[in-house]
Amino acid sequence: MLVMVTTVVLYVAGFVFLYGVIRLAVRHALEEMEVRRVQAERAEERAAARDRSLLRENGFLTGG
């Protein structure tokens, strides 16, 4: 009987632990995704600003 109780307790504890690990992994993945989204947005803004300044400095590239 003691073996059965120990087995059930470990089984349940394992599922609780696994749930916690999965939840932690998902939270970190969502945070990482948000950070990468912001970085991509900033990179796009920097590229647009760089293009504008390049065309402003080198007007002959615009064909006009």
Side-chain angles (χ1 to χ4, degrees):
M1 185 67 182
L2 182 61
V3 172
M4 182 63 107
V5 170
T6 304
T7 303
V8 169
V9 167
L10 290 176
Y11 190 73
V12 171
F15 276 115
V16 170
F17 176 76
L18 187 60
Y19 171 76
V21 169
I22 291 171
R23 186 174 171 193
L24 184 67
V26 168
R27 188 177 76 197
H28 282 289
L30 291 175
E31 289 174 357
E32 180 70 22
M33 190 172 57
E34 180 66 22
V35 167
R36 287 179 186 248
R37 185 188 64 78
V38 170
Q39 287 175 344
E41 192 175 281
R42 287 182 185 159
E44 185 178 324
E45 291 171 358
R46 279 183 298 194
R50 187 177 58 238
D51 290 346
R52 282 192 303 270
S53 68
L54 176 71
L55 291 176
R56 188 171 41 246
E57 293 169 1
N58 302 308
F60 62 90
L61 294 175
T62 60

